[in-house]
């Protein structure tokens, strides 16, 4: 299965949304060059408060563009970068990928999927009621998170809108994504 990058976004300052860019440079082991969340150790404020020495498993945030249409049916208007993602995708079931999946993006970048984004209350500050659209429960009562996935940079490179994304599933038993 393959997909495409529809937008790339970054921000050097802490804010909920990230402005779209013509391209972003992914740095091996760090994340998006110039982005506030880039680094070897955690950069998200809540995680830094818990333990600033934790490894940064949230270097690059990806969201599937199809989510915007889904929440649009409920009256919400969301554009690429507005939920804080670095890479907006189309054509890949990001939420269905197992931990350890490699995403080959563009000419040289490789991301390793680490887990699900755990949506926070800032989503409701962006648009009241949106949090309930991206976090819910399935028929069995399990929490379902739809606000994208997190990854680390295995191989750096420049990523642009229109770049292809190829998936490489891990060998062995697949572990479903959980929040990171």
């Amino acid at each position: 299965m393959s997909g495409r990058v529809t937008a790339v976004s970054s921000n050097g300052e802490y804010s909920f949304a990230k402005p779209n860019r013509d391209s972003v440079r992914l740095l091996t082991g760090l994340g998006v060059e110039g982005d506030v969340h880039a680094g070897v150790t955690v950069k998200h404020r809540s995680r830094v408060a818990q333990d600033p020495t934790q490894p940064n498993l949230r270097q690059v945030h990806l969201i599937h563009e199809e989510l915007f249409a889904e929440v649009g049916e409920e009256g919400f208007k969301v554009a690429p970068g507005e939920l804080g993602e670095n890479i907006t995708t189309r054509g890949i079931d990001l939420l269905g990928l197992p931990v350890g999946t490699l995403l080959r993006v563009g000419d040289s970048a490789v991301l390793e999927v680490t887990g699900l984004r755990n949506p926070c209350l800032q989503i409701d500050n962006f648009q009241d009621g949106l949090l309930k659209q991206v976090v819910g429960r399935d028929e069995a009562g399990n929490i379902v998170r739809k606000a994208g996935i997190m990854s680390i940079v295995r191989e750096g490179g420049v990523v642009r809108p229109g770049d292809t994304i190829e998936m490489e599933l891990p060998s062995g038993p697949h572990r479903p994504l959980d929040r990171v």
Side-chain angles (χ1 to χ4, degrees), residues 26 51 127-128 148:
L26 303 182
D51 178 2
Q127 288 185 43
D128 190 40

Side-chain angles (χ1 to χ4, degrees), residues 9-21:
S9 310
S10 67
N11 199 339
E13 299 177 12
Y14 279 105
S15 71
F16 184 68
K18 295 181 187 261
N20 294 155
R21 309 285 182 194

Side-chain angles (χ1 to χ4, degrees), residues 40-127:
V40 174
T41 57
V42 293
K43 301 300 175 199
H44 288 78
R45 291 176 174 169
S46 63
R47 306 218 180 239
V48 169
Q50 291 173 356
D51 178 2
T53 65
Q54 295 176 74
N56 187 2
L57 301 178
R58 300 165 56 106
Q59 293 174 358
V60 180
H61 176 199
L62 298 94
I63 283 186
H64 50 296
E65 188 176 68
E66 293 86 350
L67 177 65
F68 304 155
E70 182 182 326
V71 300
E73 292 175 8
E74 300 299 323
F76 296 93
K77 184 173 169 44
V78 180
E82 289 186 336
L83 293 181
E85 76 275 12
N86 300 110
I87 299 176
T88 310
T89 69
R90 175 168 285 290
I92 293 181
D93 178 13
L94 294 177
L95 304 178
L97 297 174
V99 172
T101 299
L102 297 180
L103 300 174
R104 299 185 183 284
V105 187
D107 293 334
S108 60
V110 179
L111 299 172
E112 180 181 337
V113 176
T114 56
L116 295 169
R117 175 190 185 187
N118 191 29
C120 63
L121 288 175
Q122 289 186 53
I123 291 176
D124 267 350
N125 293 338
F126 170 63
Q127 288 185 43

